[in-house]
Amino acid sequence: MYHSVLKSKQGAYIVSPAQIESDLRTLSELGYTTVTVDELVVYADGEGDLPEKPILITFDDGHYNNLYYAEKLFAKYDMHAVVNLVGRFSEYTTASGDRDNPNYSHITWDEVTEMCSRGIFEAGNHTYNMHNYRPRFGVGQLWGETDCDYTAAVVADVGKLQRKLFELTCKECRVFAYPFGKYGKLSESI
């Protein structure tokens, strides 16, 4: 799982293009094969096979630099990945017109369509507007929030991005990444 890819900075959630390439080269040399979400779902349903050493690679948050730096490296190594988008980040970048800057832009709605049509990266759901610390932490249930109200809030938010991704790709999004890894029994059932 990766987040941001930059030449100018590194940190807990930022890796360099050179590190991505080194990782992909190493995975390839060790015989790993990336799989798509569809391949994984078919296998989980007992209907398909996976390669001997399957791996699913993901990027969280939908940073434009995933396309700018990493996509061509994945193409070079004939690998695939999932980019888990935060809807409001893509919405803001699309509406503001402040796009195509690897340092801070997010993937626009048009870029989602283009990205998915190329087949190297596929889109995943990372919530529309629940990638926050407050008022709730990710999809965490608020103190005092009823299960019914919580369920309605999560369904509405995640569903908004599901509908948008289907509109853009004509494909049902089959993967969800919890913001900050925050989840509970109720969020799992939702």
Side-chain angles (χ1 to χ4, degrees):
M1 179 188 67
Y2 298 102
H3 285 80
S4 198
V5 183
L6 291 171
K7 287 183 177 181
S8 57
K9 296 186 234 175
Q10 288 194 354
Y13 296 103
I14 305 170
V15 296
S16 69
Q19 182 64 58
I20 293 275
E21 181 160 21
S22 175
D23 292 351
L24 297 178
R25 184 182 321 105
T26 299
L27 288 168
S28 181
E29 289 169 355
L30 293 174
Y32 285 90
T33 303
T34 56
V35 295
T36 66
V37 171
D38 286 343
E39 290 170 324
L40 193 56
V41 169
V42 168
Y43 177 78
D45 287 343
E47 299 175 13
D49 293 319
L50 292 177
E52 185 177 332
K53 292 183 173 182
I55 186 167
L56 182 68
I57 299 176
T58 65
F59 289 86
D60 278 359
D61 305 337
H63 296 279
Y64 171 71
N65 56 44
N66 300 165
L67 296 181
Y68 189 81
Y69 290 116
E71 188 179 37
K72 61 186 160 218
L73 295 172
F74 276 76
K76 177 180 176 179
Y77 289 92
D78 193 27
M79 293 190 172
H80 305 277
V82 178
V83 178
N84 296 307
L85 301 153
V86 177
R88 74 178 162 96
F89 296 168
S90 290
E91 184 74 37
Y92 175 80
T93 301
T94 299
S96 71
D98 193 6
R99 54 177 21 120
D100 302 334
N101 187 317
N103 293 305
Y104 59 81
S105 295
H106 284 82
I107 298 170
T108 65
W109 295 135
D110 287 343
E111 288 165 338
V112 170
T113 302
E114 295 164 9
M115 170 187 84
C116 291
S117 71
R118 289 190 293 270
I120 297 166
F121 287 167
E122 59 187 306
N125 191 326
H126 201 32
T127 75
Y128 190 88
N129 191 25
M130 289 187 159
H131 194 286
N132 301 301
Y133 295 102
R134 292 188 183 133
R136 75 175 71 243
F137 183 65
V139 297
Q141 190 167 358
L142 297 172
W143 186 84
E145 185 175 32
T146 68
D147 288 353
C148 185
D149 287 345
Y150 173 68
T151 298
V154 172
V155 167
D157 184 272
V158 173
K160 184 174 183 177
L161 185 53
Q162 285 291 107
R163 289 185 298 278
K164 184 65 176 182
L165 292 176
F166 184 80
E167 173 190 319
L168 296 170
T169 66
C170 296
K171 183 178 177 188
E172 188 72 32
C173 177
R174 299 174 83 175
V175 65
F176 178 77
Y178 288 100
F180 316 112
K182 175 70 175 164
Y183 67 95
K185 287 184 181 180
L186 186 53
S187 63
E188 282 186 287
S189 68
I190 295 168

